[in-house]
Amino acid sequence: MLKTKKILVTGGAGFLGSHLCEQLLKSEHEVLCVDNYFTGNKANILHLLDNPRFELMRHDVTFPLYVEVDEIYNLACPASPIHYQHDPVQTTKTSVHGAINMLGLAKRVGAKILQASTSEVYGDPSMHPQREDYWGNVNPIGVRSCYDEGKRCAETLFFDYHRQHSLRIKIMRIFNTYGPRMHPQDGRVVSNFIVQALKGEPITIYGDGSQTRSFCFVDDLVKGMISLMGSADEFVGPVNIGNPNEFTIKQLAEVIIDQTGSKSELVFNPLPSDDPKQRRPDISLANSELNWFPQIELEEGVSKTIEYFRKIV
């Protein structure tokens, strides 16, 4: 019989966090959702508020938190360029101070803790696809560095707590993820294209559209996250969680135009600074250690995401 755990999810009112909270509740766990609503939205978790095993707390992880929990999923951090560049100092603080505070909490209460890291730790990669043993090609002083280097430093802190204090840690590197509850103004390519297509506006492509991304549907991502947390203590990661099927940005735009029936035209603008040309995970480690494979193809996932955005746009 599954043991009920008390589980803390930081950033729990965000896009990924709300889906994670929902899935943990389905597994009969008690969930403490913590968010400061910088990018999270209470609407994402309104349907969970009546559940007696769900608790919501407004809190900023850059300040210490004193609670009793068995596991911690540390997801708190703005994850889209528009949001993390809005207040870059706070973004770095959220990654670094947030990691210190959550690691300190895990150490005090003996909790297992998972860090939601990112494929951005690889920067603009010279290895393709990206494996976990690749150290990355990151600009430490660019406009995206607050996010990239903040997440890299958080990984360092997690491993140092693991080595120095024998803390039970898990690190996952999340690749492009999409699905219902994405913020319509988060500036990410899937939400941007869907909103523009539904409004009949020109679809804005940065560069010539030949840069590639791999898109993982949120349900697959959450399953990978929970599998990692439940894996043997000896396996700490980092492990890539993402969909290895690679598409150009132009191909994504064409899929969305087709599925929305939009008459939007493609418009090409200059590529932003430090925007990676390629992004595709090598998920061999997730396959072998977690028996995890993404199940939902782009066309199916985009269809579910469009259905969500039709209701809110």
Side-chain angles (χ1 to χ4, degrees):
M1 185 176 168
L2 185 70
K3 177 181 178 290
T4 298
K5 295 172 185 166
K6 294 177 182 174
I7 301 176
L8 167 62
V9 179
T10 72
F15 161 50
L16 290 181
S18 62
H19 284 277
L20 175 61
C21 288
E22 197 171 61
Q23 198 56 48
L24 292 172
L25 288 168
K26 283 180 184 173
S27 299
E28 302 293 315
H29 296 301
E30 293 180 21
V31 175
L32 171 59
C33 168
V34 165
D35 209 296
N36 69 346
Y37 306 121
F38 176 63
T39 56
N41 189 332
K42 202 176 280 188
N44 289 337
I45 41 86
L46 272 179
H47 63 296
L48 305 178
L49 291 177
D50 289 338
N51 190 316
R53 287 178 283 103
F54 182 75
E55 185 179 352
L56 178 61
M57 178 189 295
R58 185 172 195 139
H59 181 81
D60 186 328
V61 295
T62 61
F63 298 94
L65 182 62
Y66 301 96
V67 292
E68 298 294 322
V69 290
D70 302 308
E71 292 178 351
I72 301 167
Y73 288 84
N74 187 37
L75 276 60
C77 189
S80 73
I82 282 179
H83 291 147
Y84 67 64
Q85 290 173 23
H86 173 71
D87 189 345
V89 172
Q90 186 63 25
T91 297
T92 305
K93 281 183 176 180
T94 301
S95 285
V96 178
H97 291 191
I100 290 168
N101 287 328
M102 291 306 110
L103 287 162
L105 171 60
K107 180 170 172 258
R108 280 194 304 276
V109 301
K112 190 192 297 187
I113 181 168
L114 180 147
Q115 168 66 4
S117 191
T118 171
S119 61
E120 296 300 321
V121 300
Y122 299 122
D124 190 3
S126 52
M127 172 189 277
H128 191 75
Q130 292 82 57
R131 284 200 320 264
E132 290 87 349
D133 57 2
Y134 175 55
W135 290 355
N137 175 33
V138 178
N139 176 4
I141 56 169
V143 293
R144 298 168 71 105
S145 306
C146 58
Y147 184 68
D148 304 358
E149 295 288 39
K151 289 288 192 179
R152 283 165 69 97
C153 184
E155 287 195 16
T156 302
L157 285 161
F158 267 68
F159 269 91
D160 285 337
Y161 265 80
H162 176 62
R163 287 184 286 250
Q164 191 172 333
H165 302 297
S166 300
L167 201 65
R168 293 179 298 153
I169 67 163
K170 306 284 180 182
I171 294 177
M172 68 181 296
R173 290 176 177 162
I174 297 172
F175 282 69
N176 287 57
T177 306
Y178 70 100
R181 297 185 210 140
M182 291 184 84
H183 195 296
Q185 279 88 43
D186 67 3
R188 294 191 223 192
V189 65
V190 175
S191 47
N192 264 9
F193 285 3
I194 290 176
V195 169
Q196 288 170 338
L198 289 174
K199 290 182 173 179
E201 297 172 353
I203 288 183
T204 310
I205 293 178
Y206 294 96
D208 61 5
S210 64
Q211 67 271 39
T212 66
R213 294 293 184 271
S214 305
F215 301 101
C216 185
F217 190 65
V218 63
D219 291 359
D220 283 335
L221 190 283
V222 167
K223 283 176 188 168
M225 190 180 285
I226 292 171
S227 294
L228 176 58
M229 182 64 99
S231 62
D233 286 352
E234 304 79 61
F235 181 65
V236 301
V239 59
N240 293 334
I241 300 289
N243 193 317
N245 295 333
E246 192 174 9
F247 296 88
T248 68
I249 297 300
K250 190 165 181 288
Q251 284 175 316
L252 172 69
E254 288 163 352
V255 167
I256 289 170
I257 285 174
D258 180 57
Q259 290 211 9
T260 54
S262 175
K263 303 241 183 315
S264 295
E265 296 180 354
L266 303 183
V267 174
F268 297 87
N269 287 348
L271 201 62
S273 174
D274 296 332
D275 193 58
K277 298 173 195 67
Q278 295 176 309
R279 185 70 86 227
R280 178 187 167 203
D282 181 320
I283 60 168
S284 309
L285 193 59
N287 294 166
S288 61
E289 293 290 336
L290 307 176
N291 194 30
W292 179 83
F293 305 84
Q295 305 291 319
I296 297 171
E297 297 296 340
L298 184 69
E299 287 76 11
E300 181 188 352
V302 163
S303 173
K304 291 180 178 182
T305 310
I306 289 169
E307 191 182 329
Y308 167 78
F309 274 102
R310 281 193 195 280
K311 295 171 188 168
I312 65 167
V313 170

PDB file of all heavy atoms in Angstrom, residues 214-250:
ATOM      1  N   SER A 214      12.943  20.817 -28.898  1.00  0.00           N
ATOM      2  CA  SER A 214      12.245  19.566 -28.643  1.00  0.00           C
ATOM      3  C   SER A 214      11.159  19.869 -27.623  1.00  0.00           C
ATOM      4  O   SER A 214      11.453  20.426 -26.574  1.00  0.00           O
ATOM      5  CB  SER A 214      13.214  18.520 -28.107  1.00  0.00           C
ATOM      6  OG  SER A 214      14.302  18.359 -28.991  1.00  0.00           O
ATOM      7  N   PHE A 215       9.929  19.504 -27.929  1.00  0.00           N
ATOM      8  CA  PHE A 215       8.795  19.933 -27.106  1.00  0.00           C
ATOM      9  C   PHE A 215       8.183  18.743 -26.369  1.00  0.00           C
ATOM     10  O   PHE A 215       7.731  17.789 -26.991  1.00  0.00           O
ATOM     11  CB  PHE A 215       7.739  20.606 -27.989  1.00  0.00           C
ATOM     12  CG  PHE A 215       8.267  21.801 -28.725  1.00  0.00           C
ATOM     13  CD1 PHE A 215       8.622  21.704 -30.063  1.00  0.00           C
ATOM     14  CD2 PHE A 215       8.432  23.013 -28.076  1.00  0.00           C
ATOM     15  CE1 PHE A 215       9.122  22.806 -30.743  1.00  0.00           C
ATOM     16  CE2 PHE A 215       8.926  24.117 -28.755  1.00  0.00           C
ATOM     17  CZ  PHE A 215       9.268  24.017 -30.083  1.00  0.00           C
ATOM     18  N   CYS A 216       8.165  18.825 -25.037  1.00  0.00           N
ATOM     19  CA  CYS A 216       7.643  17.755 -24.195  1.00  0.00           C
ATOM     20  C   CYS A 216       6.308  18.200 -23.594  1.00  0.00           C
ATOM     21  O   CYS A 216       6.219  19.285 -23.011  1.00  0.00           O
ATOM     22  CB  CYS A 216       8.640  17.432 -23.082  1.00  0.00           C
ATOM     23  SG  CYS A 216       8.182  16.023 -22.062  1.00  0.00           S
ATOM     24  N   PHE A 217       5.282  17.366 -23.727  1.00  0.00           N
ATOM     25  CA  PHE A 217       3.979  17.705 -23.157  1.00  0.00           C
ATOM     26  C   PHE A 217       4.045  17.581 -21.637  1.00  0.00           C
ATOM     27  O   PHE A 217       4.708  16.699 -21.087  1.00  0.00           O
ATOM     28  CB  PHE A 217       2.890  16.802 -23.731  1.00  0.00           C
ATOM     29  CG  PHE A 217       1.499  17.244 -23.388  1.00  0.00           C
ATOM     30  CD1 PHE A 217       0.989  18.440 -23.864  1.00  0.00           C
ATOM     31  CD2 PHE A 217       0.695  16.471 -22.559  1.00  0.00           C
ATOM     32  CE1 PHE A 217      -0.299  18.858 -23.552  1.00  0.00           C
ATOM     33  CE2 PHE A 217      -0.586  16.875 -22.235  1.00  0.00           C
ATOM     34  CZ  PHE A 217      -1.092  18.079 -22.732  1.00  0.00           C
ATOM     35  N   VAL A 218       3.340  18.453 -20.949  1.00  0.00           N
ATOM     36  CA  VAL A 218       3.464  18.591 -19.491  1.00  0.00           C
ATOM     37  C   VAL A 218       3.163  17.287 -18.742  1.00  0.00           C
ATOM     38  O   VAL A 218       3.811  16.978 -17.745  1.00  0.00           O
ATOM     39  CB  VAL A 218       2.594  19.762 -18.977  1.00  0.00           C
ATOM     40  CG1 VAL A 218       1.112  19.528 -19.236  1.00  0.00           C
ATOM     41  CG2 VAL A 218       2.861  20.035 -17.504  1.00  0.00           C
ATOM     42  N   ASP A 219       2.191  16.497 -19.202  1.00  0.00           N
ATOM     43  CA  ASP A 219       1.855  15.244 -18.507  1.00  0.00           C
ATOM     44  C   ASP A 219       3.041  14.286 -18.494  1.00  0.00           C
ATOM     45  O   ASP A 219       3.315  13.616 -17.493  1.00  0.00           O
ATOM     46  CB  ASP A 219       0.649  14.563 -19.171  1.00  0.00           C
ATOM     47  CG  ASP A 219      -0.645  15.336 -18.978  1.00  0.00           C
ATOM     48  OD1 ASP A 219      -0.612  16.392 -18.312  1.00  0.00           O
ATOM     49  OD2 ASP A 219      -1.686  14.896 -19.498  1.00  0.00           O
ATOM     50  N   ASP A 220       3.751  14.202 -19.638  1.00  0.00           N
ATOM     51  CA  ASP A 220       4.948  13.352 -19.708  1.00  0.00           C
ATOM     52  C   ASP A 220       6.024  13.862 -18.751  1.00  0.00           C
ATOM     53  O   ASP A 220       6.677  13.078 -18.061  1.00  0.00           O
ATOM     54  CB  ASP A 220       5.501  13.341 -21.134  1.00  0.00           C
ATOM     55  CG  ASP A 220       4.712  12.447 -22.080  1.00  0.00           C
ATOM     56  OD1 ASP A 220       4.073  11.496 -21.595  1.00  0.00           O
ATOM     57  OD2 ASP A 220       4.737  12.700 -23.304  1.00  0.00           O
ATOM     58  N   LEU A 221       6.199  15.173 -18.730  1.00  0.00           N
ATOM     59  CA  LEU A 221       7.230  15.783 -17.874  1.00  0.00           C
ATOM     60  C   LEU A 221       6.972  15.474 -16.402  1.00  0.00           C
ATOM     61  O   LEU A 221       7.884  15.081 -15.659  1.00  0.00           O
ATOM     62  CB  LEU A 221       7.249  17.290 -18.130  1.00  0.00           C
ATOM     63  CG  LEU A 221       8.357  18.180 -17.556  1.00  0.00           C
ATOM     64  CD1 LEU A 221       8.183  18.478 -16.089  1.00  0.00           C
ATOM     65  CD2 LEU A 221       9.740  17.682 -17.888  1.00  0.00           C
ATOM     66  N   VAL A 222       5.735  15.631 -15.958  1.00  0.00           N
ATOM     67  CA  VAL A 222       5.386  15.399 -14.552  1.00  0.00           C
ATOM     68  C   VAL A 222       5.609  13.934 -14.170  1.00  0.00           C
ATOM     69  O   VAL A 222       6.112  13.632 -13.085  1.00  0.00           O
ATOM     70  CB  VAL A 222       3.936  15.856 -14.272  1.00  0.00           C
ATOM     71  CG1 VAL A 222       3.443  15.345 -12.932  1.00  0.00           C
ATOM     72  CG2 VAL A 222       3.853  17.385 -14.316  1.00  0.00           C
ATOM     73  N   LYS A 223       5.277  13.019 -15.080  1.00  0.00           N
ATOM     74  CA  LYS A 223       5.528  11.592 -14.812  1.00  0.00           C
ATOM     75  C   LYS A 223       7.027  11.348 -14.619  1.00  0.00           C
ATOM     76  O   LYS A 223       7.444  10.594 -13.738  1.00  0.00           O
ATOM     77  CB  LYS A 223       5.000  10.736 -15.964  1.00  0.00           C
ATOM     78  CG  LYS A 223       3.486  10.565 -15.947  1.00  0.00           C
ATOM     79  CD  LYS A 223       3.006   9.789 -17.158  1.00  0.00           C
ATOM     80  CE  LYS A 223       1.473   9.803 -17.237  1.00  0.00           C
ATOM     81  NZ  LYS A 223       0.992   9.301 -18.528  1.00  0.00           N
ATOM     82  N   GLY A 224       7.846  11.993 -15.445  1.00  0.00           N
ATOM     83  CA  GLY A 224       9.298  11.857 -15.307  1.00  0.00           C
ATOM     84  C   GLY A 224       9.801  12.414 -13.989  1.00  0.00           C
ATOM     85  O   GLY A 224      10.675  11.828 -13.333  1.00  0.00           O
ATOM     86  N   MET A 225       9.229  13.536 -13.576  1.00  0.00           N
ATOM     87  CA  MET A 225       9.617  14.178 -12.323  1.00  0.00           C
ATOM     88  C   MET A 225       9.305  13.279 -11.126  1.00  0.00           C
ATOM     89  O   MET A 225      10.138  13.086 -10.230  1.00  0.00           O
ATOM     90  CB  MET A 225       8.873  15.519 -12.210  1.00  0.00           C
ATOM     91  CG  MET A 225       9.335  16.422 -11.103  1.00  0.00           C
ATOM     92  SD  MET A 225       8.390  17.979 -11.074  1.00  0.00           S
ATOM     93  CE  MET A 225       9.075  18.856 -12.457  1.00  0.00           C
ATOM     94  N   ILE A 226       8.101  12.710 -11.118  1.00  0.00           N
ATOM     95  CA  ILE A 226       7.682  11.841 -10.015  1.00  0.00           C
ATOM     96  C   ILE A 226       8.495  10.542 -10.014  1.00  0.00           C
ATOM     97  O   ILE A 226       8.875  10.027  -8.962  1.00  0.00           O
ATOM     98  CB  ILE A 226       6.163  11.571 -10.089  1.00  0.00           C
ATOM     99  CG1 ILE A 226       5.400  12.870  -9.788  1.00  0.00           C
ATOM    100  CG2 ILE A 226       5.744  10.474  -9.115  1.00  0.00           C
ATOM    101  CD1 ILE A 226       3.906  12.797 -10.033  1.00  0.00           C
ATOM    102  N   SER A 227       8.806  10.029 -11.207  1.00  0.00           N
ATOM    103  CA  SER A 227       9.640   8.825 -11.311  1.00  0.00           C
ATOM    104  C   SER A 227      11.034   9.074 -10.742  1.00  0.00           C
ATOM    105  O   SER A 227      11.592   8.224 -10.046  1.00  0.00           O
ATOM    106  CB  SER A 227       9.773   8.372 -12.773  1.00  0.00           C
ATOM    107  OG  SER A 227       8.541   7.960 -13.278  1.00  0.00           O
ATOM    108  N   LEU A 228      11.585  10.246 -11.028  1.00  0.00           N
ATOM    109  CA  LEU A 228      12.906  10.580 -10.504  1.00  0.00           C
ATOM    110  C   LEU A 228      12.880  10.668  -8.986  1.00  0.00           C
ATOM    111  O   LEU A 228      13.758  10.118  -8.308  1.00  0.00           O
ATOM    112  CB  LEU A 228      13.399  11.902 -11.117  1.00  0.00           C
ATOM    113  CG  LEU A 228      14.738  12.431 -10.589  1.00  0.00           C
ATOM    114  CD1 LEU A 228      15.864  11.413 -10.803  1.00  0.00           C
ATOM    115  CD2 LEU A 228      15.085  13.763 -11.245  1.00  0.00           C
ATOM    116  N   MET A 229      11.874  11.335  -8.423  1.00  0.00           N
ATOM    117  CA  MET A 229      11.777  11.445  -6.966  1.00  0.00           C
ATOM    118  C   MET A 229      11.654  10.062  -6.326  1.00  0.00           C
ATOM    119  O   MET A 229      12.197   9.810  -5.250  1.00  0.00           O
ATOM    120  CB  MET A 229      10.587  12.320  -6.576  1.00  0.00           C
ATOM    121  CG  MET A 229      10.441  12.530  -5.074  1.00  0.00           C
ATOM    122  SD  MET A 229      11.811  13.440  -4.310  1.00  0.00           S
ATOM    123  CE  MET A 229      11.095  15.103  -4.216  1.00  0.00           C
ATOM    124  N   GLY A 230      10.978   9.150  -6.985  1.00  0.00           N
ATOM    125  CA  GLY A 230      10.771   7.813  -6.430  1.00  0.00           C
ATOM    126  C   GLY A 230      11.891   6.836  -6.700  1.00  0.00           C
ATOM    127  O   GLY A 230      11.838   5.691  -6.236  1.00  0.00           O
ATOM    128  N   SER A 231      12.919   7.258  -7.437  1.00  0.00           N
ATOM    129  CA  SER A 231      14.015   6.346  -7.778  1.00  0.00           C
ATOM    130  C   SER A 231      14.935   6.123  -6.577  1.00  0.00           C
ATOM    131  O   SER A 231      14.859   6.829  -5.570  1.00  0.00           O
ATOM    132  CB  SER A 231      14.813   6.901  -8.965  1.00  0.00           C
ATOM    133  OG  SER A 231      15.408   8.137  -8.630  1.00  0.00           O
ATOM    134  N   ALA A 232      15.809   5.129  -6.690  1.00  0.00           N
ATOM    135  CA  ALA A 232      16.720   4.769  -5.602  1.00  0.00           C
ATOM    136  C   ALA A 232      17.574   5.965  -5.186  1.00  0.00           C
ATOM    137  O   ALA A 232      17.968   6.783  -6.027  1.00  0.00           O
ATOM    138  CB  ALA A 232      17.619   3.620  -6.042  1.00  0.00           C
ATOM    139  N   ASP A 233      17.855   6.064  -3.883  1.00  0.00           N
ATOM    140  CA  ASP A 233      18.607   7.212  -3.360  1.00  0.00           C
ATOM    141  C   ASP A 233      19.967   7.378  -4.019  1.00  0.00           C
ATOM    142  O   ASP A 233      20.490   8.485  -4.117  1.00  0.00           O
ATOM    143  CB  ASP A 233      18.783   7.077  -1.835  1.00  0.00           C
ATOM    144  CG  ASP A 233      17.494   7.368  -1.072  1.00  0.00           C
ATOM    145  OD1 ASP A 233      16.521   7.821  -1.708  1.00  0.00           O
ATOM    146  OD2 ASP A 233      17.468   7.148   0.151  1.00  0.00           O
ATOM    147  N   GLU A 234      20.559   6.256  -4.483  1.00  0.00           N
ATOM    148  CA  GLU A 234      21.900   6.337  -5.079  1.00  0.00           C
ATOM    149  C   GLU A 234      21.888   7.100  -6.398  1.00  0.00           C
ATOM    150  O   GLU A 234      22.911   7.638  -6.820  1.00  0.00           O
ATOM    151  CB  GLU A 234      22.473   4.941  -5.350  1.00  0.00           C
ATOM    152  CG  GLU A 234      22.540   4.001  -4.158  1.00  0.00           C
ATOM    153  CD  GLU A 234      21.188   3.366  -3.842  1.00  0.00           C
ATOM    154  OE1 GLU A 234      20.628   2.648  -4.699  1.00  0.00           O
ATOM    155  OE2 GLU A 234      20.668   3.640  -2.733  1.00  0.00           O
ATOM    156  N   PHE A 235      20.727   7.118  -7.063  1.00  0.00           N
ATOM    157  CA  PHE A 235      20.633   7.824  -8.341  1.00  0.00           C
ATOM    158  C   PHE A 235      20.175   9.259  -8.083  1.00  0.00           C
ATOM    159  O   PHE A 235      19.014   9.509  -7.786  1.00  0.00           O
ATOM    160  CB  PHE A 235      19.647   7.123  -9.281  1.00  0.00           C
ATOM    161  CG  PHE A 235      19.532   7.802 -10.621  1.00  0.00           C
ATOM    162  CD1 PHE A 235      20.622   7.856 -11.476  1.00  0.00           C
ATOM    163  CD2 PHE A 235      18.351   8.398 -11.020  1.00  0.00           C
ATOM    164  CE1 PHE A 235      20.535   8.488 -12.712  1.00  0.00           C
ATOM    165  CE2 PHE A 235      18.248   9.034 -12.248  1.00  0.00           C
ATOM    166  CZ  PHE A 235      19.341   9.076 -13.097  1.00  0.00           C
ATOM    167  N   VAL A 236      21.096  10.199  -8.202  1.00  0.00           N
ATOM    168  CA  VAL A 236      20.769  11.598  -7.898  1.00  0.00           C
ATOM    169  C   VAL A 236      20.640  12.448  -9.160  1.00  0.00           C
ATOM    170  O   VAL A 236      20.104  13.548  -9.123  1.00  0.00           O
ATOM    171  CB  VAL A 236      21.821  12.228  -6.949  1.00  0.00           C
ATOM    172  CG1 VAL A 236      21.903  11.444  -5.654  1.00  0.00           C
ATOM    173  CG2 VAL A 236      23.202  12.313  -7.599  1.00  0.00           C
ATOM    174  N   GLY A 237      21.120  11.958 -10.294  1.00  0.00           N
ATOM    175  CA  GLY A 237      21.124  12.745 -11.517  1.00  0.00           C
ATOM    176  C   GLY A 237      22.434  13.506 -11.650  1.00  0.00           C
ATOM    177  O   GLY A 237      23.411  13.138 -11.008  1.00  0.00           O
ATOM    178  N   PRO A 238      22.469  14.560 -12.424  1.00  0.00           N
ATOM    179  CA  PRO A 238      21.339  15.145 -13.159  1.00  0.00           C
ATOM    180  C   PRO A 238      20.850  14.235 -14.275  1.00  0.00           C
ATOM    181  O   PRO A 238      21.629  13.461 -14.836  1.00  0.00           O
ATOM    182  CB  PRO A 238      21.907  16.447 -13.706  1.00  0.00           C
ATOM    183  CG  PRO A 238      23.389  16.221 -13.790  1.00  0.00           C
ATOM    184  CD  PRO A 238      23.731  15.302 -12.670  1.00  0.00           C
ATOM    185  N   VAL A 239      19.556  14.361 -14.573  1.00  0.00           N
ATOM    186  CA  VAL A 239      18.969  13.569 -15.650  1.00  0.00           C
ATOM    187  C   VAL A 239      18.105  14.466 -16.527  1.00  0.00           C
ATOM    188  O   VAL A 239      17.345  15.300 -16.026  1.00  0.00           O
ATOM    189  CB  VAL A 239      18.165  12.381 -15.077  1.00  0.00           C
ATOM    190  CG1 VAL A 239      17.045  12.849 -14.149  1.00  0.00           C
ATOM    191  CG2 VAL A 239      17.587  11.512 -16.182  1.00  0.00           C
ATOM    192  N   ASN A 240      18.283  14.319 -17.836  1.00  0.00           N
ATOM    193  CA  ASN A 240      17.474  15.071 -18.801  1.00  0.00           C
ATOM    194  C   ASN A 240      16.059  14.500 -18.853  1.00  0.00           C
ATOM    195  O   ASN A 240      15.882  13.289 -18.988  1.00  0.00           O
ATOM    196  CB  ASN A 240      18.067  14.960 -20.206  1.00  0.00           C
ATOM    197  CG  ASN A 240      19.404  15.650 -20.360  1.00  0.00           C
ATOM    198  OD1 ASN A 240      19.716  16.587 -19.635  1.00  0.00           O
ATOM    199  ND2 ASN A 240      20.204  15.194 -21.322  1.00  0.00           N
ATOM    200  N   ILE A 241      15.066  15.383 -18.752  1.00  0.00           N
ATOM    201  CA  ILE A 241      13.668  14.990 -18.969  1.00  0.00           C
ATOM    202  C   ILE A 241      13.115  15.908 -20.065  1.00  0.00           C
ATOM    203  O   ILE A 241      12.990  17.115 -19.874  1.00  0.00           O
ATOM    204  CB  ILE A 241      12.828  15.110 -17.681  1.00  0.00           C
ATOM    205  CG1 ILE A 241      13.382  14.210 -16.568  1.00  0.00           C
ATOM    206  CG2 ILE A 241      11.369  14.767 -17.977  1.00  0.00           C
ATOM    207  CD1 ILE A 241      13.200  12.730 -16.761  1.00  0.00           C
ATOM    208  N   GLY A 242      12.829  15.316 -21.198  1.00  0.00           N
ATOM    209  CA  GLY A 242      12.320  16.082 -22.330  1.00  0.00           C
ATOM    210  C   GLY A 242      12.010  15.131 -23.468  1.00  0.00           C
ATOM    211  O   GLY A 242      12.273  13.931 -23.385  1.00  0.00           O
ATOM    212  N   ASN A 243      11.442  15.659 -24.525  1.00  0.00           N
ATOM    213  CA  ASN A 243      11.091  14.839 -25.682  1.00  0.00           C
ATOM    214  C   ASN A 243      12.195  14.978 -26.730  1.00  0.00           C
ATOM    215  O   ASN A 243      12.510  16.083 -27.156  1.00  0.00           O
ATOM    216  CB  ASN A 243       9.746  15.296 -26.256  1.00  0.00           C
ATOM    217  CG  ASN A 243       9.185  14.310 -27.242  1.00  0.00           C
ATOM    218  OD1 ASN A 243       9.894  13.777 -28.085  1.00  0.00           O
ATOM    219  ND2 ASN A 243       7.884  14.054 -27.152  1.00  0.00           N
ATOM    220  N   PRO A 244      12.821  13.862 -27.150  1.00  0.00           N
ATOM    221  CA  PRO A 244      13.948  13.972 -28.078  1.00  0.00           C
ATOM    222  C   PRO A 244      13.557  14.240 -29.532  1.00  0.00           C
ATOM    223  O   PRO A 244      14.437  14.446 -30.375  1.00  0.00           O
ATOM    224  CB  PRO A 244      14.632  12.600 -27.958  1.00  0.00           C
ATOM    225  CG  PRO A 244      13.553  11.674 -27.544  1.00  0.00           C
ATOM    226  CD  PRO A 244      12.589  12.481 -26.713  1.00  0.00           C
ATOM    227  N   ASN A 245      12.248  14.251 -29.841  1.00  0.00           N
ATOM    228  CA  ASN A 245      11.836  14.566 -31.213  1.00  0.00           C
ATOM    229  C   ASN A 245      12.079  16.054 -31.477  1.00  0.00           C
ATOM    230  O   ASN A 245      11.565  16.907 -30.763  1.00  0.00           O
ATOM    231  CB  ASN A 245      10.365  14.224 -31.435  1.00  0.00           C
ATOM    232  CG  ASN A 245      10.110  12.730 -31.333  1.00  0.00           C
ATOM    233  OD1 ASN A 245      11.002  11.929 -31.588  1.00  0.00           O
ATOM    234  ND2 ASN A 245       8.901  12.350 -30.944  1.00  0.00           N
ATOM    235  N   GLU A 246      12.837  16.334 -32.517  1.00  0.00           N
ATOM    236  CA  GLU A 246      13.322  17.695 -32.773  1.00  0.00           C
ATOM    237  C   GLU A 246      12.554  18.339 -33.923  1.00  0.00           C
ATOM    238  O   GLU A 246      12.316  17.706 -34.951  1.00  0.00           O
ATOM    239  CB  GLU A 246      14.815  17.600 -33.114  1.00  0.00           C
ATOM    240  CG  GLU A 246      15.552  18.909 -33.122  1.00  0.00           C
ATOM    241  CD  GLU A 246      17.049  18.688 -33.317  1.00  0.00           C
ATOM    242  OE1 GLU A 246      17.473  17.554 -33.604  1.00  0.00           O
ATOM    243  OE2 GLU A 246      17.798  19.671 -33.187  1.00  0.00           O
ATOM    244  N   PHE A 247      12.140  19.590 -33.713  1.00  0.00           N
ATOM    245  CA  PHE A 247      11.407  20.324 -34.741  1.00  0.00           C
ATOM    246  C   PHE A 247      12.031  21.702 -34.910  1.00  0.00           C
ATOM    247  O   PHE A 247      12.517  22.295 -33.943  1.00  0.00           O
ATOM    248  CB  PHE A 247       9.933  20.515 -34.326  1.00  0.00           C
ATOM    249  CG  PHE A 247       9.161  19.233 -34.198  1.00  0.00           C
ATOM    250  CD1 PHE A 247       9.154  18.540 -32.998  1.00  0.00           C
ATOM    251  CD2 PHE A 247       8.459  18.715 -35.273  1.00  0.00           C
ATOM    252  CE1 PHE A 247       8.448  17.351 -32.866  1.00  0.00           C
ATOM    253  CE2 PHE A 247       7.743  17.526 -35.148  1.00  0.00           C
ATOM    254  CZ  PHE A 247       7.744  16.842 -33.951  1.00  0.00           C
ATOM    255  N   THR A 248      11.986  22.232 -36.137  1.00  0.00           N
ATOM    256  CA  THR A 248      12.372  23.631 -36.310  1.00  0.00           C
ATOM    257  C   THR A 248      11.227  24.505 -35.804  1.00  0.00           C
ATOM    258  O   THR A 248      10.063  24.074 -35.739  1.00  0.00           O
ATOM    259  CB  THR A 248      12.666  23.980 -37.783  1.00  0.00           C
ATOM    260  OG1 THR A 248      11.440  23.920 -38.520  1.00  0.00           O
ATOM    261  CG2 THR A 248      13.692  23.028 -38.390  1.00  0.00           C
ATOM    262  N   ILE A 249      11.558  25.737 -35.470  1.00  0.00           N
ATOM    263  CA  ILE A 249      10.542  26.687 -35.010  1.00  0.00           C
ATOM    264  C   ILE A 249       9.506  26.932 -36.114  1.00  0.00           C
ATOM    265  O   ILE A 249       8.305  27.076 -35.854  1.00  0.00           O
ATOM    266  CB  ILE A 249      11.214  28.011 -34.569  1.00  0.00           C
ATOM    267  CG1 ILE A 249      12.153  27.765 -33.375  1.00  0.00           C
ATOM    268  CG2 ILE A 249      10.179  29.062 -34.226  1.00  0.00           C
ATOM    269  CD1 ILE A 249      11.476  27.205 -32.141  1.00  0.00           C
ATOM    270  N   LYS A 250       9.974  26.927 -37.354  1.00  0.00           N
ATOM    271  CA  LYS A 250       9.058  27.125 -38.488  1.00  0.00           C
ATOM    272  C   LYS A 250       8.073  25.952 -38.589  1.00  0.00           C
ATOM    273  O   LYS A 250       6.873  26.151 -38.845  1.00  0.00           O
ATOM    274  CB  LYS A 250       9.855  27.275 -39.783  1.00  0.00           C
ATOM    275  CG  LYS A 250       9.035  27.710 -40.983  1.00  0.00           C
ATOM    276  CD  LYS A 250       9.941  28.193 -42.111  1.00  0.00           C
ATOM    277  CE  LYS A 250       9.142  28.652 -43.314  1.00  0.00           C
ATOM    278  NZ  LYS A 250       8.530  27.542 -44.056  1.00  0.00           N
TER     279      LYS A 250
END
